[in-house]
């Protein structure tokens, strides 16, 4: 597992920036390795205390929970890499889940692939609105998406009118999709892996991905390099929204019962997964692979505490501590890389004078 490039290439090649990239790449790989080791230790300790933790059903529940959170985390990572944030993903998930649930209830013959596309389209539209408001409203993404979080949730509550969609109102084929497996792996997990692989490859190997990293590293420099920062910003939010909409359909398929509160609180877990996974909140570095590992770690922590019969309050405390630790590590790494680049630049300047 390798981390995505942490800085995009620019038309002008700067040796010092390349050195900084290699340093950050190394640190991010170490961060992802640390998450894997923490996961292994957590699973080992919990399994020793309660062997049921490694039962087939327990592992399946963890994977299904991770699948939904990981899809959200991949979209959030794309936005955070550009030095923005999307707090509306939980509300978008809820709106998408209720929209698709209503359609399936009224049109039982609706194919599952079409339901997935409709959910992604609903989310993509919400994400595009976020992007337009951030781009043309000149308002910080934190403020915009905090507002749309409540707006979208309010729309869902108004539409639902206090009712909920129960599992017995949904087509059997859709509910089977939420529990079906291929070669022993749940379809929901396969969809999450597909989303992760495609997004990871695009960010790593294609120009659009490098431009998103460049925007996060320095929006001003990205504009000077000819990157359409506004268009890429809207695109990043649209991707986050579309994946939140897709996650809404997965949520509906897994749980069957849908109401206006679906997805409440997910946005905080998503941000935590992304930050813990090594995506810098200041933009320009990190990978969707790390964000997905963060989602797996948080889901495993939740399941582990439940198995060990530990108060769920400690889950919130642990997640909060992990976020603070991750942000502190990001600032420390950024300071060291900046100092390294400054020394290198100073040495090159003296060599040039000499």
């Amino acid at each position: 597992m390798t981390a995505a490039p942490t800085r995009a290439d620019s038309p002008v090649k700067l040796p010092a920036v390349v050195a900084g990239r290699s340093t950050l790449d190394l640190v991010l790989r170490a961060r992802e390795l640390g998450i894997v080791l923490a996961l292994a230790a957590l699973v080992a300790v919990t399994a020793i205390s309660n062997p049921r933790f490694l039962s087939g059903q327990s592992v399946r529940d963890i994977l299904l929970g991770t699948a939904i959170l990981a899809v959200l985390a991949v979209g959030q990572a794309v936005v955070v890499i550009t030095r923005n944030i999307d707090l509306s993903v939980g509300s978008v998930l809820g709106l998408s889940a209720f929209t698709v649930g209503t359609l399936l209830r009224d049109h039982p013959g609706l194919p599952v692939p079409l339901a997935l596309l409709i959910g992604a389209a609903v989310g993509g539209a919400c994400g595009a609105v976020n992007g337009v408001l951030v781009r043309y409203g000149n308002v910080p993404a934190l403020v915009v998406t905090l507002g749309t979080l409540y707006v979208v949730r309010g729309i869902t509550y108004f539409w639902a009118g206090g009712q909920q969609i129960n599992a017995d109102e949904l087509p059997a084929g859709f509910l089977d999709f939420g529990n079906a497996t291929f070669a022993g792996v749940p379809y929901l997990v396969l969809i999450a892996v597909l989303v992760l692989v495609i997004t990871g490859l695009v960010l790593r190997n294609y120009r659009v991905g490098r431009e998103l990293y460049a925007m996060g590293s320095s929006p001003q420099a990205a504009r000077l390099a000819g990157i359409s920062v506004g268009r890429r910003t809207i695109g990043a939010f649209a991707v986050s929204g579309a994946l939140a909409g897709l996650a809404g359909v997965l949520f509906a398929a897994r749980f069957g019962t849908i109401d206006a509160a679906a997805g409440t609180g997910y946005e905080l877990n998503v941000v935590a997964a992304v930050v813990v996974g090594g995506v810098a909140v200041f933009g320009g570095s990190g990978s969707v692979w790390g964000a997905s590992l963060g989602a797996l770690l948080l889901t495993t922590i939740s399941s582990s505490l439940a198995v060990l019969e530990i108060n769920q309050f400690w889950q919130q405390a642990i997640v909060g501590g992990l976020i603070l630790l991750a942000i502190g590590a990001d600032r420390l790494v950024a300071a060291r890389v900046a100092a390294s680049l400054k020394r290198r630049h100073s040495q090159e300047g003296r060599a040039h004078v000499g």
Side-chain angles (χ1 to χ4, degrees), residues 121-132:
V122 170
C126 294
V129 170
N130 283 334
V132 169

Side-chain angles (χ1 to χ4, degrees), residues 135-136 207 211-212 215 226-238:
R135 167 67 179 89
Y136 294 103
R207 177 177 177 178
E211 290 181 349
L212 292 178
M215 289 166 52
I227 296 174
S228 179
V229 173
R231 186 174 62 184
R232 294 293 183 228
T233 298
I234 296 173
F237 276 100

Side-chain angles (χ1 to χ4, degrees), residues 122-210:
V122 170
C126 294
V129 170
N130 283 334
V132 169
L133 291 175
V134 171
R135 167 67 179 89
Y136 294 103
N138 236 1
V139 180
L142 177 67
V143 177
V144 168
T145 58
L146 182 62
T148 54
L149 179 157
Y150 290 107
V151 170
V152 174
R153 184 66 67 190
I155 292 172
T156 308
Y157 270 105
F158 177 79
W159 182 10
Q163 66 173 322
Q164 70 175 22
I165 300 172
N166 298 312
D168 57 6
E169 299 177 86
L170 296 175
F174 181 70
L175 296 176
D176 290 341
F177 165 75
N179 295 284
T181 63
F182 177 78
V185 182
Y187 281 138
L188 271 60
V189 175
L190 292 176
I191 290 175
V193 171
L194 182 62
V195 168
L196 170 62
V197 170
I198 292 175
T199 309
L201 289 176
V202 170
L203 288 176
R204 180 179 180 86
N205 299 324
Y206 290 85
R207 177 177 177 178
V208 61
R210 295 192 296 271

Side-chain angles (χ1 to χ4, degrees), residues 236-259:
F237 276 100
V239 168
S240 177
L243 292 182
L246 176 63
V249 183
L250 302 184
F251 179 96
R254 183 191 177 196
F255 296 106
T257 301
I258 314 161
D259 59 20

Side-chain angles (χ1 to χ4, degrees), residues 2-354:
T2 58
T6 59
R7 292 290 189 273
D9 296 332
S10 62
V12 180
K13 303 295 184 181
L14 297 177
V17 173
V18 173
R21 285 181 55 189
S22 63
T23 303
L24 270 176
D25 283 340
L26 182 61
V27 171
L28 290 173
R29 291 191 185 98
R31 173 82 69 84
E32 293 174 5
L33 177 60
I35 295 175
V36 172
L37 294 176
L39 269 170
L42 178 63
V43 170
V45 170
T46 308
I48 291 172
S49 176
N50 191 333
R52 290 180 304 167
F53 185 67
L54 291 180
S55 67
Q57 185 60 45
S58 178
V59 172
R60 185 175 180 275
D61 289 341
I62 290 174
L63 290 178
L64 287 173
T66 300
I68 297 174
L69 186 58
V71 170
L72 291 168
V74 168
Q76 186 74 246
V78 172
V79 171
V80 174
I81 283 170
T82 66
R83 200 179 286 192
N84 287 294
I85 194 168
D86 186 357
L87 296 180
S88 68
V89 290
S91 296
V92 172
L93 181 153
L95 177 62
S96 171
F98 197 83
T99 299
V100 171
T102 301
L103 288 174
L104 288 168
R105 182 190 61 189
D106 298 339
H107 306 280
L110 190 72
V112 172
L114 183 56
L116 293 171
L117 290 176
I118 291 173
V122 170
C126 294
V129 170
N130 283 334
V132 169
L133 291 175
V134 171
R135 167 67 179 89
Y136 294 103
N138 236 1
V139 180
L142 177 67
V143 177
V144 168
T145 58
L146 182 62
T148 54
L149 179 157
Y150 290 107
V151 170
V152 174
R153 184 66 67 190
I155 292 172
T156 308
Y157 270 105
F158 177 79
W159 182 10
Q163 66 173 322
Q164 70 175 22
I165 300 172
N166 298 312
D168 57 6
E169 299 177 86
L170 296 175
F174 181 70
L175 296 176
D176 290 341
F177 165 75
N179 295 284
T181 63
F182 177 78
V185 182
Y187 281 138
L188 271 60
V189 175
L190 292 176
I191 290 175
V193 171
L194 182 62
V195 168
L196 170 62
V197 170
I198 292 175
T199 309
L201 289 176
V202 170
L203 288 176
R204 180 179 180 86
N205 299 324
Y206 290 85
R207 177 177 177 178
V208 61
R210 295 192 296 271
E211 290 181 349
L212 292 178
Y213 279 105
M215 289 166 52
S217 299
S218 175
Q220 296 80 10
R223 290 190 183 91
L224 292 175
I227 296 174
S228 179
V229 173
R231 186 174 62 184
R232 294 293 183 228
T233 298
I234 296 173
F237 276 100
V239 168
S240 177
L243 292 182
L246 176 63
V249 183
L250 302 184
F251 179 96
R254 183 191 177 196
F255 296 106
T257 301
I258 314 161
D259 59 20
T264 300
Y266 263 72
E267 53 278 342
L268 299 181
N269 287 333
V270 173
V271 172
V274 169
V275 174
V276 170
V279 182
V281 293
F282 307 101
S285 67
S287 72
V288 293
W289 309 99
S292 297
L293 280 174
L296 178 58
L297 177 61
L298 295 186
T299 306
T300 305
I301 289 174
S302 178
S303 299
S304 177
L305 294 181
V307 168
L308 296 175
E309 299 181 353
I310 297 176
N311 192 312
Q312 289 298 302
F313 161 77
W314 288 106
Q315 177 187 351
Q316 301 176 21
I318 291 171
V319 171
L322 288 174
I323 292 175
L324 293 176
L325 182 63
I327 292 176
D330 287 338
R331 294 309 296 160
L332 179 61
V333 170
R336 290 188 174 182
V337 170
S340 175
L341 293 178
K342 185 176 180 179
R343 287 196 302 270
R344 185 182 180 92
H345 181 72
S346 176
Q347 291 171 359
E348 290 177 350
R350 287 197 296 270
H352 180 71
V353 172

